[in-house]
Amino acid sequence: MATAAPTRSATGGPRRPGRGTTTPSAAGHAESRTKLVLYGLAGVLAVLVFAAPLLWSLLRAFQTNAVITEAPSWATFFDLTAANFAAVGGTAGLGRATLNSLVVSLSTAVLTAAVATAAGYGFGRFRFRFSGAAFGAIVLTLMIPFQAIITPLFMQLNAMRLTDSLLGLVLFYTTVNLPFGVFVMRNAFAAVPSELEDAAFVDGAGTGRTFFSVLRPLVTPGIATTALYAFLASWTEFLGALTFLTQQQLYTLPVALLNLQQGAYGAVDYGLLAAGALIAMIPCVVLYVGLQRYYVAGLASGSLKG
């Protein structure tokens, strides 16, 4: 009777990978691919969750009010038109409201960044009596909602005859956004080594030259963060604008959209409202995308030195 020769595995040698067997490296690659697919699916799902409302608003902005309010139908669902955007600057008067919002938001961003930079330079580079207590008091106001101070601010601005004016609204927004700006800029200046400033003074540079030539490039992320935060906060703010403004030609975009939503005799043009809301998103998205790296860097420096 013939005896079968022993296989290599039976003799204790290394087993060669055959059909149905998986090497450790192949298993690792398969696990990595599985994780990659799962991460991809999670990313796509997250994008859909956040992008779906924007895409829905974009679609509704190009539809007439009749299409929006009628029963859903594929026959008319993609009947798109730009009539809503033409009406935004016409009968709806949102063109003037958009211009008012731009004037108020840009002025607030510039004024807040300028005052916060000056205050942050003082707190970050100089030590004087009660400087810590003063900075702590400013930071403490971050915890106070602006609704709690809107009445005394309104009374003060009314006494100065600054209510019902865009200038008064700019001063109100600057006051509300300054604590965060001072906090960011103080930490931005504190993160700069004092040796750089000392070297500039030794080379004969004055305070102004040292600030603009040496310190300014290093604190630019903080300035951009402060300006962007103030712009976005004032661009989307509603309650303050509704309180301080009564004349329709001075309305900012959020207040004008509220009037549009209420409509005449309760009628609401949803297509026009969606077009106005879409226009309100554009400056926020453009500014955030353009200044995103400065914004993240400024917030990171504030978190490290706070």
Side-chain angles (χ1 to χ4, degrees):
M1 182 176 181
T3 304
T7 60
R8 195 171 184 181
S9 59
T11 59
R15 177 178 297 177
R16 298 178 59 184
R19 182 176 298 176
T21 61
T22 304
T23 62
S25 60
H29 288 306
E31 184 179 0
S32 299
R33 281 197 297 270
T34 303
K35 288 183 178 179
L36 187 61
V37 171
L38 291 177
Y39 289 152
L41 290 176
V44 170
L45 182 61
V47 170
L48 289 177
V49 168
F50 287 101
L54 297 178
L55 295 177
W56 187 257
S57 299
L58 178 64
L59 179 64
R60 290 304 194 189
F62 286 94
Q63 291 179 334
T64 62
N65 191 54
V67 174
I68 296 174
T69 54
E70 70 181 4
S73 171
W74 290 112
T76 59
F77 192 72
F78 290 103
D79 287 344
L80 307 180
T81 176
N84 294 325
F85 292 94
V88 163
T91 56
L94 291 185
R96 176 181 290 276
T98 304
L99 180 62
N100 291 338
S101 287
L102 278 176
V103 170
V104 170
S105 301
L106 289 176
S107 302
T108 301
V110 172
L111 186 58
T112 302
V115 176
T117 301
Y121 181 70
F123 282 116
R125 311 307 288 181
F126 300 101
R127 293 292 178 268
F128 50 90
R129 181 176 294 182
F130 304 122
S131 61
F135 179 70
I138 292 175
V139 173
L140 189 63
T141 59
L142 284 171
M143 305 177 188
I144 302 176
F146 84 93
Q147 293 87 348
I149 61 174
I150 193 171
T151 299
L153 281 177
F154 176 83
M155 296 174 64
Q156 185 63 38
L157 289 176
N158 189 47
M160 299 168 65
R161 300 182 183 277
L162 288 176
T163 54
D164 217 9
S165 71
L166 296 183
L167 176 60
L169 196 60
V170 169
L171 294 178
F172 169 69
Y173 288 154
T174 302
T175 302
V176 173
N177 291 309
L178 261 182
F180 178 78
V182 173
F183 173 74
V184 171
M185 292 312 302
R186 181 262 185 189
N187 293 333
F189 280 108
V192 178
S194 59
E195 289 79 5
L196 293 176
E197 197 172 6
D198 296 337
F201 284 134
V202 170
D203 290 340
T207 303
R209 178 68 180 276
T210 302
F211 178 82
F212 286 103
S213 300
V214 179
L215 297 179
R216 181 189 54 79
L218 300 176
V219 300
T220 295
I223 297 175
T225 301
T226 302
L228 181 59
Y229 180 84
F231 181 89
L232 296 180
S234 55
W235 178 265
T236 57
E237 202 281 331
F238 168 74
L239 181 58
L242 185 65
T243 304
F244 284 87
L245 301 176
T246 58
Q247 299 182 30
Q248 189 170 359
Q249 64 269 21
L250 296 178
Y251 281 170
T252 55
L253 194 53
V255 181
L257 286 176
L258 174 69
N259 288 344
L260 194 64
Q261 181 180 1
Q262 292 176 343
Y265 304 107
V268 180
D269 192 330
Y270 293 102
L272 197 57
L273 186 62
L278 188 64
I279 291 175
M281 297 179 195
I282 294 175
C284 300
V285 174
V286 172
L287 274 178
Y288 185 77
V289 171
L291 301 177
Q292 182 183 10
R293 59 192 181 99
Y294 295 110
Y295 191 69
V296 174
L299 289 179
S301 64
S303 63
L304 290 176
K305 292 294 181 180

